[in-house]
């Protein structure tokens, strides 16, 4: 009987996804770590494993070789795969798959809620009421403001539609512009993110963590931005230089930031905890009942396909 290792904490309570594997006659080894597993931790778990349904774990060459030649597929529970060594996977005949579209609504809704929370300073006024104060904070409307969306895949596109519904001006950057956003919704695309930095009131990041995007938000890019800009990141922590962002926040060079993702998770940089112009959430963009179920079921179905001798629907290598 083939064995599937799952390291996504949500899998333990997603019975529909478990049924997909059980109905295919697969044995399931469910691990529920408190945080993403490092390579050295995974190496100890992958012996005689035919498939891995992975969360945000670090799956490098050592892990893949330790699981070879049994391992056939690494099914990512989500759309990011920067923590998986694609080169090693390909060399060892291991498919790496993702689950496109399953969490796009959930992530874009969190990005939007970070925007509204920051614009109305909800986090501050909540703390005042709890302390017995009736202090109010002046906010701003989203209506008429300009949002720059960097990356218009499923998440960025859904965010654009919601911003348009709120009467915002939407400009975007993507190597592959969305035809529908241009033709039906008249979203303006720019050729360089710098054009967004210079005019946007809100900047929302929806790009993968690759060499070209590493620390794209840095001192130089921040210097181009408006002083009342808000930066939202629900994509990958590696897109932002933390030191540059902290300096901009603490000096009020920018208005604020909403961060759901970080270079190191759990996030423990105490400097940010003392700031009142930042909202921090624990990489929870896709953590809704609906997205979790859809994502895990799709990942499980990819595992079944591959272990049945078929090709996966959403490979990235």
């Amino acid at each position: 009987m083939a064995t599937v290792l799952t390291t996504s904490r949500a899998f333990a309570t997603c019975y529909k996804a478990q049924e997909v594997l059980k109905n295919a006659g697969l044995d399931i080894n469910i691990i529920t770590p408190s945080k993403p597993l490092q390579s050295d931790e995974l190496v100890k778990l992958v012996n005689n494993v035919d498939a891995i349904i992975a969360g945000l774990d670090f799956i490098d060459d050592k892990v893949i070789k330790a699981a070879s030649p049994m391992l056939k597929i690494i099914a990512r529970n989500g759309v990011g795969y920067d923590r998986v060594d694609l080169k090693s996977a390909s060399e060892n005949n291991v498919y790496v798959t993702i689950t496109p579209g399953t969490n796009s609504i959930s992530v874009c809704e969190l990005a939007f809620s970070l925007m509204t929370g920051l614009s109305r300073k909800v986090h501050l006024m909540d703390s005042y009421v709890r302390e017995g104060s009736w202090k109010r904070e002046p906010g701003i409307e989203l209506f008429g403001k300009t949002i720059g969306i960097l990356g218009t895949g499923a998440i960025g596109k859904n965010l654009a539609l919601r911003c348009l519904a709120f009467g915002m001006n939407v400009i975007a950057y993507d190597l592959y512009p969305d035809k529908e956003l241009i033709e039906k919704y008249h979203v303006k695309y720019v050729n360089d993110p710098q054009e967004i930095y210079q005019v946007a009131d809100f900047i929302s990041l929806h790009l993968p963590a690759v060499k070209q995007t590493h620390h794209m938000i840095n001192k130089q890019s921040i210097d181009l931005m408006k002083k009342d800009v808000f930066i939202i990141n629900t994509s990958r922590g590696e897109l932002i230089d933390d030191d540059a962002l902290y300096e901009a926040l603490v000096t009020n060079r920018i208005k604020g930031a909403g961060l759901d993702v970080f270079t190191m998770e759990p996030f423990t940089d105490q400097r940010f905890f003392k700031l009142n112009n930042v909202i921090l959430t624990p990489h929870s963009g896709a953590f809704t009942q609906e997205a979790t179920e859809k994502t895990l079921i799709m990942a499980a179905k990819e595992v079944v396909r591959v272990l049945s001798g078929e090709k996966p629907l959403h490979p990235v290598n």
Side-chain angles (χ1 to χ4, degrees):
M1 180 182 291
T3 299
V4 182
L5 171 69
T6 72
T7 60
S8 169
R9 282 174 290 173
F11 194 90
T13 56
C14 188
Y15 303 112
K16 289 184 179 180
Q18 292 179 32
E19 284 299 311
V20 171
L21 300 180
K22 290 177 180 178
N23 289 340
L26 302 177
D27 185 39
I28 313 172
N29 181 11
I30 300 175
I31 304 295
T32 55
S34 60
K35 60 182 179 180
L37 293 173
Q38 299 295 319
S39 169
D40 291 341
E41 296 172 302
L42 269 174
V43 165
K44 303 173 184 177
L45 302 172
V46 296
N47 188 37
N48 294 322
V49 166
D50 298 272
I52 300 173
I53 295 180
L56 293 165
D57 312 290
F58 294 85
I59 305 177
D60 62 9
D61 182 59
K62 290 189 298 182
V63 176
I64 294 169
K65 285 182 176 177
S68 295
M70 297 288 290
L71 186 65
K72 301 296 186 295
I73 177 174
I74 299 167
R76 267 285 294 116
N77 176 35
V79 294
Y81 51 90
D82 49 286
R83 295 183 179 181
V84 180
D85 188 332
L86 293 185
K87 182 174 182 290
S88 177
S90 297
E91 290 174 348
N92 288 278
N93 299 312
V94 177
Y95 281 114
V96 179
T97 63
I98 57 174
T99 56
T102 56
N103 62 18
S104 57
I105 297 297
S106 295
V107 178
C108 93
E109 285 183 354
L110 179 63
F112 195 83
S113 70
L114 290 172
M115 290 171 52
T116 56
L118 287 166
S119 66
R120 296 305 301 267
K121 302 180 182 177
V122 172
H123 58 302
L124 294 183
M125 292 189 287
D126 174 82
S127 66
Y128 298 155
V129 174
R130 293 173 187 271
E131 294 166 358
S133 170
W134 206 244
K135 179 181 176 181
R136 293 182 294 178
E137 290 279 352
I140 63 169
E141 294 181 349
L142 297 184
F143 182 82
K145 302 298 188 298
T146 296
I147 180 170
I149 300 177
L150 302 180
T152 53
I155 297 170
K157 180 175 181 176
N158 275 295
L159 179 63
L161 298 179
R162 282 150 183 77
C163 291
L164 289 168
F166 268 62
M168 299 183 75
N169 304 310
V170 178
I171 56 176
Y173 167 80
D174 199 296
L175 292 177
Y176 305 96
D178 186 276
K179 186 176 180 180
E180 184 181 30
L181 285 180
I182 296 172
E183 296 181 355
K184 184 176 180 179
Y185 298 101
H186 310 294
V187 169
K188 176 186 176 183
Y189 276 84
V190 299
N191 296 319
D192 192 314
Q194 290 191 12
E195 297 180 59
I196 286 177
Y197 300 152
Q198 294 169 356
V199 301
D201 301 296
F202 293 85
I203 295 173
S204 194
L205 306 177
H206 302 282
L207 294 169
V210 295
K211 182 178 179 180
Q212 293 82 354
T213 61
H214 183 75
H215 285 186
M216 65 185 300
I217 303 300
N218 52 41
K219 185 181 185 306
Q220 290 71 35
S221 57
I222 290 173
D223 284 345
L224 297 174
M225 297 178 190
K226 300 169 66 172
K227 290 187 176 180
D228 56 356
V229 70
F230 292 95
I231 297 173
I232 310 296
N233 189 11
T234 57
S235 181
R236 284 290 183 264
E238 289 82 358
L239 274 58
I240 295 180
D241 180 335
D242 287 348
D243 291 334
L245 179 63
Y246 173 77
E247 185 64 24
L249 288 166
V250 78
T251 61
N252 292 314
R253 172 60 188 80
I254 64 174
K255 194 80 169 181
L259 308 175
D260 184 52
V261 291
F262 310 90
T263 303
M264 294 299 295
E265 297 178 357
F267 186 61
T268 58
D269 192 334
Q270 296 289 325
R271 298 177 300 170
F272 286 81
F273 299 168
K274 302 173 183 177
L275 301 177
N276 63 10
N277 57 347
V278 61
I279 296 178
L280 308 170
T281 52
H283 203 143
S284 56
F287 200 56
T288 63
Q289 294 178 7
E290 296 86 351
T292 297
E293 184 172 281
K294 287 186 291 185
T295 299
L296 288 172
I297 290 174
M298 182 181 287
K301 288 181 176 179
E302 289 285 61
V303 166
V304 171
R305 287 189 189 95
V306 171
L307 296 187
S308 298
E310 302 176 23
K311 290 185 177 181
L313 296 181
H314 305 290
V316 293
N317 68 331

